[in-house]
Short mmCIF file of all heavy atoms in Angstrom, two decimals:
data_model
loop_
_atom_site.label_atom_id
_atom_site.label_comp_id
_atom_site.label_asym_id
_atom_site.label_seq_id
_atom_site.Cartn_x
_atom_site.Cartn_y
_atom_site.Cartn_z
N PRO A 224 95.95 120.47 108.93
CA PRO A 224 95.33 119.20 109.42
C PRO A 224 95.42 119.01 110.97
O PRO A 224 94.47 118.60 111.52
CB PRO A 224 96.03 118.04 108.76
CG PRO A 224 97.40 118.68 108.18
CD PRO A 224 97.09 120.09 107.93
N VAL A 225 96.50 119.38 111.54
CA VAL A 225 96.58 119.64 112.97
C VAL A 225 97.09 121.11 113.11
O VAL A 225 98.08 121.46 112.56
CB VAL A 225 97.72 118.72 113.68
CG1 VAL A 225 97.83 119.21 115.18
CG2 VAL A 225 97.28 117.27 113.66
N VAL A 226 96.16 121.87 113.74
CA VAL A 226 96.54 123.42 113.76
C VAL A 226 97.64 123.55 114.74
O VAL A 226 97.69 123.04 115.83
CB VAL A 226 95.35 124.14 114.05
CG1 VAL A 226 95.53 125.69 113.93
CG2 VAL A 226 94.04 123.83 113.27
N GLY A 227 98.56 124.37 114.25
CA GLY A 227 99.55 124.91 115.17
C GLY A 227 99.45 126.36 115.40
O GLY A 227 99.86 126.90 116.40
N ASN A 228 98.80 127.08 114.57
CA ASN A 228 98.84 128.52 114.57
C ASN A 228 97.71 129.31 115.33
O ASN A 228 97.63 130.45 115.28
CB ASN A 228 98.84 129.04 113.11
CG ASN A 228 100.24 128.75 112.55
OD1 ASN A 228 101.20 129.43 112.91
ND2 ASN A 228 100.31 127.87 111.64
N MET A 229 96.91 128.51 116.16
CA MET A 229 96.14 129.07 117.12
C MET A 229 96.53 128.54 118.56
O MET A 229 95.91 128.44 119.44
CB MET A 229 94.55 128.83 116.90
CG MET A 229 94.08 127.43 116.77
SD MET A 229 92.33 127.46 116.65
CE MET A 229 92.07 126.65 115.12
N GLY A 230 97.79 127.89 118.53
CA GLY A 230 98.23 126.94 119.40
C GLY A 230 97.90 125.62 118.92
O GLY A 230 97.10 125.49 117.93
N CYS A 231 98.34 124.51 119.46
CA CYS A 231 98.09 123.25 118.91
C CYS A 231 96.66 122.69 119.10
O CYS A 231 96.17 122.61 120.26
CB CYS A 231 99.07 122.19 119.58
SG CYS A 231 98.80 120.60 119.02
N VAL A 232 95.91 122.51 118.07
CA VAL A 232 94.50 122.08 118.10
C VAL A 232 94.41 120.90 117.09
O VAL A 232 94.39 121.09 115.91
CB VAL A 232 93.53 123.25 117.70
CG1 VAL A 232 92.16 122.69 117.80
CG2 VAL A 232 93.70 124.31 118.73
N PRO A 233 94.19 119.70 117.67
CA PRO A 233 93.96 118.55 116.78
C PRO A 233 92.65 118.51 116.07
O PRO A 233 91.70 119.16 116.65
CB PRO A 233 94.09 117.34 117.80
CG PRO A 233 94.51 117.97 119.10
CD PRO A 233 94.25 119.33 119.08
N PRO A 234 92.42 117.83 115.05
CA PRO A 234 91.10 117.71 114.41
C PRO A 234 90.31 116.70 115.21
O PRO A 234 90.83 115.78 115.77
CB PRO A 234 91.47 117.14 113.03
CG PRO A 234 92.72 116.18 113.25
CD PRO A 234 93.49 117.11 114.29
N ARG A 235 88.97 117.05 115.32
CA ARG A 235 88.05 116.13 115.95
C ARG A 235 88.01 114.78 115.27
O ARG A 235 88.21 114.72 113.99
CB ARG A 235 86.66 116.62 115.99
CG ARG A 235 86.32 117.81 116.87
CD ARG A 235 84.83 118.12 116.91
NE ARG A 235 84.48 119.42 117.24
CZ ARG A 235 84.43 119.87 118.55
NH1 ARG A 235 84.70 118.97 119.53
NH2 ARG A 235 84.12 121.05 118.79
N GLU A 236 87.63 113.69 115.82
CA GLU A 236 87.57 112.33 115.13
C GLU A 236 86.62 112.55 113.98
O GLU A 236 85.53 113.13 114.06
CB GLU A 236 86.74 111.48 116.20
CG GLU A 236 86.64 110.04 115.75
CD GLU A 236 87.90 109.17 115.51
OE1 GLU A 236 88.82 109.53 116.49
OE2 GLU A 236 88.05 108.43 114.70
N GLY A 237 87.15 112.06 112.68
CA GLY A 237 86.36 112.08 111.60
C GLY A 237 86.31 113.43 110.77
O GLY A 237 85.83 113.44 109.74
N TYR A 238 86.93 114.48 111.38
CA TYR A 238 86.77 115.83 110.82
C TYR A 238 87.53 115.91 109.43
O TYR A 238 86.99 116.41 108.38
CB TYR A 238 87.31 116.93 111.77
CG TYR A 238 87.15 118.33 111.17
CD1 TYR A 238 85.93 118.82 110.93
CD2 TYR A 238 88.31 119.12 110.89
CE1 TYR A 238 85.85 120.11 110.43
CE2 TYR A 238 88.22 120.31 110.40
CZ TYR A 238 87.07 120.78 110.10
OH TYR A 238 86.96 122.14 109.53
N LEU A 239 88.79 115.45 109.42
CA LEU A 239 89.53 115.49 108.17
C LEU A 239 88.83 114.67 107.08
O LEU A 239 88.79 115.17 105.84
CB LEU A 239 91.02 115.11 108.46
CG LEU A 239 91.72 115.91 109.38
CD1 LEU A 239 93.13 115.29 109.54
CD2 LEU A 239 91.88 117.28 108.92
N GLN A 240 88.27 113.46 107.38
CA GLN A 240 87.60 112.69 106.43
C GLN A 240 86.34 113.47 105.89
O GLN A 240 85.98 113.48 104.62
CB GLN A 240 87.13 111.38 107.02
CG GLN A 240 86.61 110.46 105.97
CD GLN A 240 87.55 110.10 104.82
OE1 GLN A 240 88.72 109.81 104.99
NE2 GLN A 240 87.18 110.30 103.51
N ALA A 241 85.68 114.20 106.77
CA ALA A 241 84.60 115.03 106.32
C ALA A 241 84.95 116.09 105.33
O ALA A 241 84.31 116.30 104.33
CB ALA A 241 83.84 115.66 107.62
N LEU A 242 86.19 116.65 105.63
CA LEU A 242 86.70 117.70 104.58
C LEU A 242 86.92 116.97 103.25
O LEU A 242 86.60 117.56 102.15
CB LEU A 242 88.01 118.31 105.13
CG LEU A 242 87.98 119.05 106.35
CD1 LEU A 242 89.27 119.73 106.64
CD2 LEU A 242 86.86 120.05 106.52
#
Side-chain angles (χ1 to χ4, degrees):
V225 172
V226 186
N228 287 292
M229 56 173 123
C231 179
V232 176
R235 288 185 201 282
E236 181 73 30
Y238 179 66
L239 296 178
Q240 189 56 52
L242 299 187

